[in-house]
Amino acid sequence: MKPFLFFLRLSALLDSLLLSYPILAILEVSLTGQLVTASSLARLGILLLAGALGAFAGWLLDRIKHPPIRAVTFLLAALPAVVFSGACWFLLEKTIFNGALIVLCLVFYAVGMFFATHPFDELIGTSFLSFTMIAYSLAAIIVWFCGSYFGMACDLVLLIICFLTFTLLYAIINNQANIERLMGRRHYSLAMLPVGMRRYNLLLICAGFVLVVLGLLFQKPIWHIVKFGFQVLASFLYIFVLFFRFIIWLLARPAQPDKPLPQVSDLPVFGQAQEAAATPFINVLFQWLALLLILLLLFCMRRQIWAAVQKTASAVWRLLKSLFSRPGKKKPMSTSSQYYVDTIEDLERGTEENLTAQEALSSFRAWRRQCRDFLEKPQEAGSLQEGYLLILSWLRLRGAPLSPADTTLEILNKSLTRMPESPFIQVTESYNMVYYGEMPLRNGDYESLVQTLRVLMQSK
């Protein structure tokens, strides 16, 4: 099993076993009258251990090639559960709550065993999410009610941590299950998905989870920051309101009658005391406001103004240069600098020997001869690519509509109807890993290539 698929199955198992804590919390509050994080964490560890033991036992029984009769299989499956329950009963205190804990261990032992024999995308579905959300909500309400109205010592920290962990694991599993379902419609495998895409999805989900956790842990600082921002905005609005009221107050003042213009004979003589003309304050205020708006407009449009000045200067310079320069030959304009040229990556690119060999494969007889020569040669670094080119030549001889722009997944999809029984899926996966430099060639990759070529040689 691939490491990533093993991680998904392990995450799905842990996500299903986290359903045990709401039941455990309700039993602990109702039977002991308290909910302490330290003791609850130890009991949750016992339940998780029981579920993991059940999953391991189910995996071992599922891998038996010749299983015994049902009675013997049932005894083999029940033996670890009995030993584990007896050890817990011997080590724990003999109380009603510990008896209920052992019963829960047996239940989740069966859940883990059932989980080991079924795909995770069938078990971790929408109904599982709804049932778990109801269980956690009911446990939170019961614990809060017992702590508020009955004065019990109830700590909700572990319940919140388990719920957040369940949400994170469910988001990861649901995302990967949807990807596998979409790829399965085109007969692809989840292991053929590029590693970078899987990592990007995981990082995106984990980033959202971290933001939610930070929001829950730092509620007060975040609220103080938001409150400070609203206060700053309110202060700006208050200053605007004050300025608007000041403008209204100036406009509402009684207007003073205009003074008659002085006559020439009434003008003051040079050297005598001059009388300054009184300018209304509202005119000065509007003049400064207009000047401020003009400066603000120029500052906002500084980039456009500078670009217009540059274009004007460039146009004037070109005009002067055309007027005072001699006519000469124009250089041809390079099309590659103005237009985007798309290139197609050909999967069959290689050396001249490979290209010559591909051109010579015009019949099945020539292809079989070339294939026998390839199988007799020792394994080299370029053997995987050369064998992959032989498979593509066989597909073309079979009439497969291949084009240079086809990706490896598209080639695989077109080949499923022509060679469904060959291990070409493993060959494509190995070719992707080696061709794009994700990992070196493994031992089993060359064997799957040889097996595929042998199947193709035997086909008629």
Side-chain angles (χ1 to χ4, degrees):
M1 184 182 295
K2 298 291 183 181
F4 188 75
L5 296 178
F6 177 75
F7 165 74
L8 286 180
R9 292 198 65 85
L10 187 62
S11 302
L13 174 63
L14 179 59
D15 203 39
S16 61
L17 295 179
L18 284 177
L19 179 61
S20 62
Y21 187 70
I23 305 173
L24 179 64
I26 294 174
L27 288 176
E28 188 171 355
V29 169
S30 59
L31 296 178
T32 63
Q34 61 179 359
L35 184 63
V36 184
T37 302
S39 59
S40 297
L41 184 60
R43 297 184 180 105
L44 178 62
I46 294 174
L47 289 175
L48 296 180
L49 185 60
L53 182 62
F56 181 70
W59 178 75
L60 288 179
L61 293 175
D62 187 60
R63 290 182 63 88
I64 297 177
K65 295 183 179 180
H66 303 287
I69 59 176
R70 291 185 178 181
V72 178
T73 306
F74 179 76
L75 290 177
L76 292 176
L79 181 61
V82 173
V83 173
F84 185 82
S85 302
C88 291
W89 181 256
F90 178 76
L91 295 176
L92 297 177
E93 187 179 355
K94 287 21 175 225
T95 58
I96 299 177
F97 176 67
N98 290 334
L101 178 64
I102 292 175
V103 173
L104 276 180
C105 288
L106 294 176
V107 171
F108 282 93
Y109 177 88
V111 170
M113 181 174 292
F114 180 77
F115 185 85
T117 56
H118 290 76
F120 63 88
D121 54 348
E122 294 181 3
L123 300 175
I124 309 297
T126 308
S127 58
F128 174 78
L129 175 64
S130 303
F131 183 73
T132 310
M133 294 290 288
I134 293 173
Y136 271 98
S137 302
L138 184 62
I141 292 173
I142 291 175
V143 171
W144 172 79
F145 184 81
C146 292
S148 300
Y149 290 91
F150 295 105
M152 297 181 181
C154 298
D155 192 1
L156 292 172
V157 175
L158 188 57
L159 188 65
I160 295 174
I161 293 174
C162 290
F163 177 72
L164 293 177
T165 306
F166 160 78
T167 307
L168 172 64
L169 294 177
Y170 182 82
I172 294 174
I173 297 164
N174 190 34
N175 177 266
Q176 298 300 319
N178 290 334
I179 293 175
E180 184 179 13
R181 194 177 298 112
L182 292 175
M183 294 185 68
R185 293 178 181 176
R186 298 193 174 187
H187 307 286
Y188 298 152
S189 174
L190 183 62
M192 300 175 61
L193 192 69
V195 180
M197 186 179 296
R198 295 200 295 261
R199 292 175 180 172
Y200 172 76
N201 290 337
L202 292 180
L203 289 176
L204 190 63
I205 294 172
C206 292
F209 177 76
V210 169
L211 290 178
V212 173
V213 173
L214 291 178
L216 292 175
L217 295 179
F218 301 100
Q219 294 181 9
K220 292 184 178 179
I222 293 175
W223 166 244
H224 288 313
I225 293 173
V226 174
K227 186 178 180 181
F228 176 75
F230 279 116
Q231 289 177 354
V232 172
L233 180 61
S235 63
F236 278 112
L237 294 177
Y238 185 69
I239 292 174
F240 176 76
V241 171
L242 289 180
F243 182 76
F244 184 72
R245 288 182 177 179
F246 178 71
I247 296 296
I248 294 177
W249 177 75
L250 291 177
L251 294 176
R253 291 181 60 189
Q256 298 179 358
D258 296 335
K259 296 181 179 180
L261 295 174
Q263 301 297 326
V264 178
S265 58
D266 297 335
L267 290 175
V269 185
F270 182 76
Q272 297 179 357
Q274 298 183 2
E275 182 179 0
T279 304
F281 175 75
I282 189 66
N283 295 339
V284 177
L285 181 63
F286 277 116
Q287 289 175 3
W288 280 100
L289 184 61
L291 180 61
L292 181 62
L293 291 177
I294 292 173
L295 293 177
L296 183 61
L297 181 63
L298 292 176
F299 179 78
C300 294
M301 299 183 62
R302 64 188 185 279
R303 299 181 185 274
Q304 292 81 354
I305 294 173
W306 177 247
V309 171
Q310 285 183 337
K311 289 183 180 179
T312 304
S314 178
V316 172
W317 173 253
R318 287 195 300 268
L319 178 62
L320 294 176
K321 190 174 180 180
S322 62
L323 290 176
F324 295 99
S325 61
R326 295 180 181 180
K329 296 182 179 180
K330 295 183 178 180
K331 296 182 179 180
M333 186 175 296
S334 177
T335 57
S336 61
S337 61
Q338 289 188 352
Y339 300 98
Y340 172 75
V341 180
D342 193 8
T343 59
I344 296 176
E345 183 180 8
D346 191 358
L347 295 176
E348 302 184 36
R349 68 169 185 262
T351 61
E352 295 181 359
E353 293 80 1
N354 289 337
L355 296 177
T356 306
Q358 292 299 317
E359 292 177 358
L361 298 179
S362 57
S363 64
F364 283 105
R365 181 178 299 176
W367 183 88
R368 289 191 179 92
R369 183 173 61 253
Q370 186 73 19
C371 188
R372 281 195 297 269
D373 295 339
F374 171 77
L375 293 176
E376 292 175 358
K377 292 191 303 183
Q379 180 181 358
E380 299 176 355
S383 299
L384 183 63
Q385 184 176 2
E386 186 178 354
Y388 189 79
L389 294 179
L390 286 173
I391 296 175
L392 296 187
S393 302
W394 185 88
L395 289 174
R396 283 198 174 89
L397 292 175
R398 285 289 183 178
L402 302 182
S403 65
D406 286 343
T407 62
T408 55
L409 296 181
E410 292 172 345
I411 294 173
L412 176 62
N413 192 20
K414 294 177 181 179
S415 67
L416 291 176
T417 58
R418 292 170 175 82
M419 47 176 181
E421 298 180 356
S422 65
F424 188 50
I425 297 178
Q426 290 81 2
V427 177
T428 304
E429 179 184 353
S430 306
Y431 182 81
N432 285 334
M433 293 179 179
V434 176
Y435 186 78
Y436 295 104
E438 292 187 0
M439 59 184 303
L441 186 66
R442 299 168 297 187
N443 296 328
D445 298 337
Y446 190 75
E447 296 177 0
S448 60
L449 174 63
V450 171
Q451 184 179 358
T452 302
L453 291 175
R454 293 187 187 279
V455 171
L456 298 183
M457 289 181 64
Q458 296 174 0
S459 62
K460 296 181 180 180

